[in-house]
Amino acid sequence: MSIPRGDSSLLLMAAAGILLAAGLGLLLLGKAAWASACLLTGIVLGVAGRFTALIRRRKG
């Protein structure tokens, strides 16, 4: 897999998607503590990815 150099927003959004999917799976399995940790981390990474993309768009 080749990620363009300096494209951290794409990497953050991919990590957010994986963590959100894992959190939903854990929620279905009944692991509430792990699910909430994954979901919260996924949301934080998703927001960070959006802000990174927004800042890059305004600069470039």
Side-chain angles (χ1 to χ4, degrees), residues 13-53:
M13 295 298 283
I18 291 169
L19 280 169
L20 288 173
L24 289 176
L26 287 169
L27 194 61
L28 288 174
L29 289 175
K31 310 281 185 183
W34 284 103
S36 64
C38 282
L39 289 171
L40 184 62
T41 307
I43 290 169
V44 168
L45 286 178
V47 170
R50 293 298 297 163
F51 276 125
T52 304

Side-chain angles (χ1 to χ4, degrees), residues 6-13 45-60:
D7 197 5
S8 58
S9 62
L10 181 65
L11 191 61
L12 285 170
M13 295 298 283
L45 286 178
V47 170
R50 293 298 297 163
F51 276 125
T52 304
L54 181 66
I55 290 170
R56 178 169 295 124
R57 193 173 305 136
R58 288 192 181 197
K59 280 185 178 180

